[in-house]
Each structure stands twice: as C-alpha cells, then as structure tokens.
Amino acid sequence: MGEDLSLPALGTLETICRELAVQAGELIVRERPEHLAVADTKSSATDVVTIMDRRSEQLLQEQLRARRPEDGILGEEGASVEGTSGITWIVDPIDGTVNYLYDIPAYAVSVAACVGDPRGEWESVAGAVFNPVSGELFHARRGGGAFLRSTGADPSVTALFVSGEQDLGQALTGTGFGYDAAKRAQQAQILTRVLPQVRDIRRAGSAALDLCAVAAGRLDVYYESGLNAWDRAAGQLIVTEAGGVVRGAGAQPSRDLTLAGPAVLVEALHDVLQSDPH
Ligand code: IPD
C-alpha cells in the first residue's frame, strides 16, 4: 500500500485526530441529556451504550468520510468502513461510558489513524485522546513525541514522559475490568497476585485515559486483559511516544493482554502476570 507515512503526512493525520477528538468531546458534554439513560446493552447487562456514544460516533464517522473518503473506519458502536488508502481510523466515541453515565469526569474520546488490518495486526501512526471535562488533550504521531495540550482558558503544551520508577514494589499500577462476569472472576484472581507486589492499584474506568496517565507519569504502569482495539489504539501510541513500552503476553498488545509503562516495570509486571498461581 502506498500510504505516505512521512512525519509531515503523519502530522496531518495527528491534526485530524486532535480536531475530531475535541469536536466529539465537546458534543458529548454540551448535548448530554439532563436525564441520561441507557440506550442499549452489548456484551452484558452492565456493558452499556448511551445515545451520546452513538451521536459521537456518528459525528466522527461523518467528519472522517468528508475529510478522508478513501480511508477505512472502525468504531466501538459499529462503524465499519473498508478503505482503499491503507489508513484506518479506529475510534472510541466515549471511552469510560459507565463514568459518563454516572457523570464521573473520567471519560474521553479516542481517535487514532492506523495502518495494517484493524481486525488483525495493525499499528497506530497518529492518535489523540480528549477528556472534555478536564480539557486535557493527549496526542502523538509516530516518531514525533507525545504531548499534553490543555485546551482551557489557559492553554499550554507539555511533552510527555513515562515514569522513571524502576521498582515494581513502588509502582502505582492501573488496571481495568471487562463486562463479563466470568472474565471478571479471573481478573479478580489475577489482582490478588498483583496487589501485594505493587505500591497500589487504581481503576479509573477509561482505558484510553489510563494509557495517557502512564504516558504522563501519573501511573507508573498499567495492565488489562480484554481491551478492544478502540480502547487502546490512540493511547498505546501516546505511551510509546512518551518513551514507554506497550506489549501483550507476546511482543504485541492484544485482546488477551495489554501492558504499558517503562520497560523495566512492564517486564517485571509481565513476570508476575505469567507466574504460576499455584
Ligand atoms: C471500557 C473502559 C474501561 C475498561 C473496559 C473498557 P468503554 O471501555 O475503557 O476502563 O476497563 O475494558 O471496555 O466500554 O467505556 O468504552
């Protein structure tokens, strides 16, 4: 495929990621219904969709179709467009939907431009994650570094770097849980192995923001099993561009496992996760 992946071309993709994440993020705050209800459920009764997940994805899809008609799109709420350019946009219209439902200000819109097969092996080349409540916009393009832009009344840009912590015993560790009860029981068991070996655990409720927290050194390390491509596509690039490592049980993150942080902590946590529980 002949897609242009030079830094300037990736800069164009990164700008689109930033603009659309902010546009959709502003929509979900501005037009949030006063009495927000669950519109539907997906994999389980607690895996919810709101009307605003759908409206946010619709906006993202319309904008991408207008701006990048040859690209593919994969979205959490069903967007699925085959492209011809070699670029696919992987979008999460609200990551942290349960937080959004409860009005807990830890949710985000995630937009990433990727190469490869979005349902197989793919790689993010540009991405942005926007928390519309804090006004924090995290973004990166491959080879260009990772940045946090504050979009409030006092705009600023900061380069991001993962934590310098080397000792897993001192590591503030983020994780999350899936929506399936059997899966959660497994995750709870794994947690009993991890918790005694780390400083403490945080479960914020948005994988995209967790990955950005790792990039910003607000979490030392993060792991989760069961993530979908849209949960991690932008965030994992932001971590690697902030000097971190993202891997799975093997070299690549996958639905089975995503681990993110400084290399030393990722390897130490990987060893704990893979150790025999008996
Ligand atoms: C979820 C969040 C959560 C993570 C779940 C995801 P959603 O995404 O990222 O933090 O633990 O695995 O499914 O459903 O809010 O888009």
Side-chain angles (χ1 to χ4, degrees), residues 42 46-48 53 76-77 92-99 107-108 175-179 184 187 203-210 222 224-228 230-231:
K42 295 185 287 187
T46 51
D47 184 3
V48 298
D53 291 79
E76 177 172 20
E77 307 312 335
D92 194 334
I94 304 181
D95 186 60
T97 299
V98 174
N99 284 346
Y107 52 85
T175 192
F177 309 112
Y179 292 111
R184 284 183 164 199
Q187 288 173 321
R203 195 288 194 253
S206 160
L209 288 177
D210 288 338
Y222 165 81
E224 184 163 348
S225 59
L227 290 186
N228 288 298
W230 44 78
D231 298 316

Side-chain angles (χ1 to χ4, degrees), residues 32-49:
R32 178 193 161 92
E34 201 184 330
H35 301 289
L36 182 67
V38 171
D40 207 350
T41 57
K42 295 185 287 187
S43 60
S44 81
T46 51
D47 184 3
V48 298
V49 186

Side-chain angles (χ1 to χ4, degrees), residues 38-268:
V38 171
D40 207 350
T41 57
K42 295 185 287 187
S43 60
S44 81
T46 51
D47 184 3
V48 298
V49 186
T50 72
I51 176 83
M52 296 311 293
D53 291 79
R54 290 180 176 153
R55 287 190 56 197
S56 174
E57 184 156 304
Q58 191 184 359
L59 178 149
L60 294 170
Q61 185 162 352
E62 280 169 8
Q63 285 289 326
L64 288 168
R65 295 299 280 160
R67 293 183 189 210
R68 307 275 308 183
E70 293 175 357
D71 296 353
I73 307 174
L74 177 68
E76 177 172 20
E77 307 312 335
S80 178
V81 175
E82 285 270 327
T84 53
S85 66
I87 301 285
T88 301
W89 296 84
I90 302 186
V91 302
D92 194 334
I94 304 181
D95 186 60
T97 299
V98 174
N99 284 346
Y100 182 69
L101 184 67
Y102 281 75
D103 212 4
I104 297 170
Y107 52 85
V109 177
S110 172
V111 179
C114 304
V115 292
D117 173 0
R119 296 185 193 279
E121 281 194 20
W122 52 271
E123 185 197 343
S124 316
V125 293
V129 174
F130 181 54
N131 175 338
V133 185
S134 68
E136 288 185 315
L137 174 65
F138 301 85
H139 60 95
R141 69 182 121 154
R142 191 172 72 185
F147 299 91
L148 167 56
R149 213 167 270 265
S150 152
T151 61
D154 195 8
S156 63
V157 190
T158 320
L160 296 176
F161 299 97
V162 295
S163 153
E165 185 57 63
Q166 304 275 299
D167 175 3
L168 187 62
Q170 296 295 317
L172 189 60
T173 303
T175 192
F177 309 112
Y179 292 111
D180 174 73
K183 177 85 190 162
R184 284 183 164 199
Q186 274 175 13
Q187 288 173 321
Q189 277 195 339
I190 291 168
L191 191 59
T192 62
R193 296 217 300 281
V194 174
L195 191 51
Q197 309 252 21
V198 299
R199 177 191 290 274
D200 205 348
I201 288 286
R202 293 290 180 272
R203 195 288 194 253
S206 160
L209 288 177
D210 288 338
L211 288 164
C212 293
V214 169
R218 295 174 185 175
L219 285 174
D220 293 307
V221 68
Y222 165 81
Y223 77 98
E224 184 163 348
S225 59
L227 290 186
N228 288 298
W230 44 78
D231 298 316
R232 62 182 167 88
Q236 70 186 41
L237 177 68
I238 294 169
V239 172
T240 53
E241 287 300 323
V245 166
V246 182
R247 65 167 290 178
Q252 297 305 321
S254 71
R255 201 167 154 68
D256 288 341
L257 183 63
T258 300
L259 274 157
V264 176
L265 295 182
V266 163
E267 292 317 310

